């Protein structure tokens, strides 16, 4: 199975400041067709996870443009340009290069 | 919309059937997935079924004990849980596949149903 490793595991951010989460995979997530199967989800407290970013950098419907994703092959980053109070929760990266789809451990983002 | 039901308290070795009623999209066109989350833990992909039931896939931790199925005439996804263990205690989320051509990539998630395995 592909192992996904996120850092840091927790992050405390002042509102209006940027935040960055790293995700590394144990194998390349680049498929021969050029797609890279890396996704980001946010789980707010008491809620189901929601898709934020697909295929490294494509924001899902309704996701604010302060969220951006980047990276390639095995190293990926989720950035929030200016953190808002509604952004608190646990962020997970996930790979679907091969089944089983696997998630990172999660990064808990809190507001200072 | 995805609405799960069927969770509850069950003894070790017992069985349950989870259901997920889907609406608002062309259910038969999409693969569907189950993802679970143990209390206070992260997310674990459990199982996927391709559109029109052409293929089923399972995590090693549940293979041989869980069975995923779907009834496209009822827009409903199922997960049959057998030989349950304490480590199966979790919220089980029904999820819709992101694209008609992919599998294992949830976009929309249900609210989840809690399965507790305990004597």
């Amino acid at each position: 199975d592909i192992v996904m490793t996120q850092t840091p595991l927790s992050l405390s951010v002042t509102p209006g400041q940027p935040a960055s989460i790293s995700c590394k995979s144990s194998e390349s997530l680049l498929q021969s067709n050029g797609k890279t199967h890396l996704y980001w989800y946010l789980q707010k407290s008491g809620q189901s996870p929601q898709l934020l970013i697909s295929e490294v950098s494509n924001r899902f419907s309704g996701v604010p443009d302060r969220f951006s994703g980047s990276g390639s092959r095995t190293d990926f980053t989720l950035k929030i340009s200016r953190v808002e109070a509604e952004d608190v929760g646990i962020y997970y990266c996930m790979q679907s290069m091969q089944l089983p789809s696997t998630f990172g451990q999660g990064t808990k983002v809190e507001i200072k | 919309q995805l609405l799960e039901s069927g969770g509850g308290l069950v003894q070790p070795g017992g069985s349950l059937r989870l259901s997920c009623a889907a609406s608002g999209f062309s259910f038969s066109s999409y693969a569907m997935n189950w993802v679970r989350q143990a209390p206070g833990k992260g997310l674990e992909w459990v199982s996927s079924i391709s559109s029109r039931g052409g293929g089923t896939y399972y995590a090693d931790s549940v293979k041989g004990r869980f069975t995923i199925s779907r009834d496209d005439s009822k827009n409903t996804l199922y997960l049959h849980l057998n030989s349950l263990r304490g480590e199966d205690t979790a919220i089980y989320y029904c999820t819709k596949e992101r694209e008609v051509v992919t599998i294992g990539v949830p976009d929309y998630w249900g609210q989840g149903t809690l399965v507790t395995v305990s004597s």
Side-chain angles (χ1 to χ4, degrees), chain B residues 5-117:
Chain B
S5 60
L9 175 64
V10 61
Q11 292 188 339
S15 298
L16 275 179
R17 187 185 77 165
L18 306 184
S19 300
C20 172
S23 61
F25 65 99
S26 177
F27 180 76
S28 63
S29 298
Y30 288 87
M32 296 292 292
N33 315 285
W34 290 96
V35 178
R36 69 183 180 182
Q37 186 170 36
K41 302 297 185 182
L43 301 169
E44 179 188 16
W45 173 83
V46 173
S47 183
S48 297
I49 185 168
S50 58
S51 61
R52 299 174 176 82
T56 57
Y57 310 88
Y58 299 94
D60 286 346
S61 58
V62 307
K63 199 173 294 182
R65 300 187 299 120
F66 291 8
T67 302
I68 191 171
S69 62
R70 63 192 296 162
D71 186 337
D72 289 348
S73 69
K74 296 182 179 179
N75 287 355
T76 302
L77 176 71
Y78 302 100
L79 187 67
H80 300 254
L81 293 71
N82 296 316
S83 303
L84 282 162
R85 307 166 180 167
E87 55 264 36
D88 296 319
T89 294
I91 297 172
Y92 285 74
Y93 294 103
C94 166
T95 72
K96 170 189 163 291
E97 187 61 29
R98 186 177 74 92
E99 293 181 335
V100 295
V101 295
T102 61
I103 192 161
V105 185
D107 56 5
Y108 292 102
W109 301 56
Q111 87 290 345
T113 187
L114 177 62
V115 173
T116 303
V117 183

